[in-house]
Amino acid sequence: MTSEDRYAGWGPRLLPHGVEFRLWAPSASRLELVTEGPGAHEVRPMDPQEGGWWLTSVDGAGPGTLYRYRVDGRLDVPDPASRFQPGDCHGPSQVVDTGAYAWRTAGWSGRPWREAVIYELHVGSFTPAGTYLGVMDALDTLAELGVTAIELMPLADFPGARNWGYDGVLPFAPDHRYGTPFELMELIDAAHERGLMMLLDVVYNHFGPDGNYLAAYAEPFFTDRHETPWGDAIDFDGPSRDATRGFFIDNALYWLDEYRFDGLRLDAVHAICDDSEPHILPELASRVRDRLGRSRHVHLILENDANEARWLSGPAPERYDAQWNDDFHHAAHVAVTGESDSYYGDYTDAPVGHLLRTLTEGFAYQGEYSGHRGGPRGEPSAHLPVTAFVSFLQNHDQVGNRAAGERLHELTSSEALTTATAILLLAPMPPLLFMGQEWCASSRFPYFCDYEGDLADAIRQGRMREFEHFSAFSGSDAHQRIPDPIAPETFAAAVLDWSERLRGAHGRWWRLHRDLLAERQQHVVPLIERIVPGGSTGRLLGDAGLTVLWPFDGGGRYLLHANLGGAPLSVSRLPGRRVYATPGVPPATPASSAAPVVLPAWSAVFSLEAPDEESADD
């Protein structure tokens, strides 16, 4: 029996003359379907099936039908696989016919991963409209910038009016605050018309604290054999594994197939507890590749604090395309800001050295001891292709998990930021930008949510405890300097002001990002697949400088020389054909030159060398 046979499928199924409703509720002794509508409220019993499933069909039901499940005659709950929640996560679910949307780009097959330039955004704060259609209005601007892939932060329906999305509770239901399912499809369609890939962030390691009713009727969905930061873990490796795995595999296929997303980014997979074989990660990837990978470019990306390179190698059907490389961010951040609190402490001994390792081998931590984590972290990664590591200087976590949500330009000099930006956008790894980063937006991105009562108080207190060990927030007035995550004005402060994008210094930053991405498209992308996996080398130039050599199959190489310090740095030469250099970098030097070259403070230069130009002293 295949896994597809075992997974019966979650959510309502449209029939020629009605709808089939099904729910996995092994803890319920009685289950009823409650359909709702204008002047109508009907309750009908559901029939128990093998394996804890319940089933009923309703003639005459169809798209737009509102329904809930009544558990043991006492509790009405939404469908955990609801396709839409027009009245929020505690209200009734709505039947949606996603097949009714007429795709204008039905022939779109995506783009290869080597072309990825990712732009992460939060729908609710990306524009003042805070909707899918608001994002659609910015597509031409993002395409002009040089973005090739838009990544939406999670859309799973969440309680209240505002949330980052990582506390979603109904993973199949795009949150109604942003628009309808068909408006989301319109956004994806419009992006594809402009050659833009659409990626979605999904959360398969936990549910949010408000609005998840699964434990009331499907207690075996969770297990106390594993611990997570959010309580009992999802049971991926016990008696309920078929149902739980089916839920999330169905979800991945749903977003990729019915909404035609081009890929998924799986949040915090280090918090997915699974001791079984096969692990849920390769099984999910294999199912996606088998269903969709033959006719489309479909990309699967991980966030994994454990730096487990195993998920990025192995058999092709089970392999993930890439992982967010936190090590690149942390090393670069320490290098340009000097910060040392929390996990940054693992990089303060040699930030440029750690950055060099991310540029040549992928992970900085490949099994070495992490003081922040109190044990070894990571697996060897040098054998992997450069495309396996997504680099970034900012993302929702690294901005929003700061106490006040400051962006990087507030924490360092423009010279340091220019150099770091050039390295980010012209190194061969797929780069990621966080919304507004391209123009150094004045709006911050603090943590925000919308809870009430005791839960709201617990969120506030937890936010304060999170920063107790930070030196900047050790005083008695710390609570006054950390935005209240529940306050509407905290969310309002995160909304981008698009009117500033081309004004003054903001416009100069936007043009810098646009020009660097144009250079990437012209000079770097055509060569990425020729870079030899495991062949990259580099060395430190003093404490603040580095040089990296990415060799090509068949000869030649791509080079980076950089000075990540405040004093000039002498190097032997700057070889090759210049791709880009920050202001003040001297011209390329011929191999015959014996005179040293001085790299200015905070500078970087990228160049290309043909096979007959390679020299041993670099």
Side-chain angles (χ1 to χ4, degrees), residues 67-376:
Y67 68 99
R68 293 191 237 208
Y69 295 112
R70 181 164 294 167
V71 180
D72 295 333
R74 58 178 176 78
L75 178 65
D76 289 359
V77 300
D79 188 343
S82 167
R83 271 42 177 177
F84 192 49
Q85 293 290 123
D88 212 351
C89 63
H90 297 288
S93 303
Q94 186 176 70
V95 177
V96 176
D97 181 8
T98 54
Y101 182 82
W103 292 93
R104 300 185 300 277
T105 57
W108 167 264
S109 59
R111 299 180 64 157
W113 183 242
R114 67 179 178 275
E115 298 179 2
V117 174
I118 307 165
Y119 188 94
E120 186 195 21
L121 66 86
H122 176 266
V123 173
S125 56
F126 181 61
T127 67
T131 62
Y132 305 125
L133 298 183
V135 176
M136 194 166 71
D137 289 340
L139 292 179
D140 288 332
T141 299
L142 295 180
E144 180 188 357
L145 177 65
V147 167
T148 63
I150 296 170
E151 180 178 324
L152 303 182
M153 288 172 63
L155 303 178
D157 200 90
F158 53 78
R162 53 198 176 273
N163 196 287
W164 275 17
Y166 297 92
D167 286 337
V169 290
L170 298 172
F172 291 78
D175 196 89
H176 71 289
R177 300 286 179 177
Y178 303 148
T180 68
F182 294 107
E183 288 170 338
L184 174 57
M185 292 178 183
E186 179 72 13
L187 166 60
I188 296 167
D189 214 4
H192 290 168
E193 287 180 317
R194 291 158 175 80
L196 299 172
M197 295 183 281
M198 290 294 295
L199 311 176
L200 178 64
D201 203 343
V202 293
V203 181
Y204 294 163
N205 52 58
H206 79 291
F207 294 88
D210 180 25
N212 172 31
Y213 293 92
L214 273 162
Y217 54 84
E219 187 176 350
F221 201 98
F222 304 95
T223 176
D224 59 5
R225 295 191 312 278
H226 303 292
E227 293 184 6
T228 77
W230 311 282
D232 287 351
I234 296 166
D235 184 16
F236 284 114
D237 58 5
S240 302
R241 58 179 293 179
D242 286 354
T244 54
R245 286 173 179 244
F247 183 83
F248 293 105
I249 290 173
D250 279 359
N251 184 259
L253 293 170
Y254 164 76
W255 290 119
L256 295 168
D257 193 5
E258 298 187 34
Y259 280 85
R260 299 185 63 81
F261 276 100
D262 298 282
L264 303 175
R265 180 261 195 189
L266 277 64
D267 176 69
V269 299
H270 54 271
I272 292 177
C273 304
D274 184 1
D275 293 332
S276 64
E277 291 291 340
H279 190 282
I280 179 62
L281 289 181
E283 183 173 7
L284 185 150
S286 181
R287 287 287 304 279
V288 166
R289 308 295 188 202
D290 183 62
R291 171 80 70 86
L292 303 169
R294 294 183 176 90
S295 58
R296 292 168 50 190
H297 292 287
V298 175
H299 308 300
L300 297 175
I301 305 101
L302 300 175
E303 181 198 22
N304 187 358
D305 184 71
N307 281 3
E308 293 167 315
R310 71 189 78 167
W311 307 130
L312 307 173
S313 57
E318 301 176 356
R319 186 186 311 156
Y320 284 75
D321 295 273
Q323 176 178 315
W324 277 23
N325 194 355
D326 282 346
D327 283 349
F328 175 94
H329 169 271
H330 299 345
H333 187 93
V334 173
V336 302
T337 69
E339 291 189 344
S340 59
D341 281 322
S342 189
Y343 44 72
Y344 293 134
D346 278 351
Y347 303 83
T348 54
D349 59 330
V352 178
H354 287 297
L355 181 63
L356 175 63
R357 198 178 196 196
T358 69
L359 292 168
T360 55
E361 299 184 19
F363 298 140
Y365 278 85
Q366 301 179 30
E368 291 79 10
Y369 181 84
S370 161
H372 176 71
R373 293 162 184 82

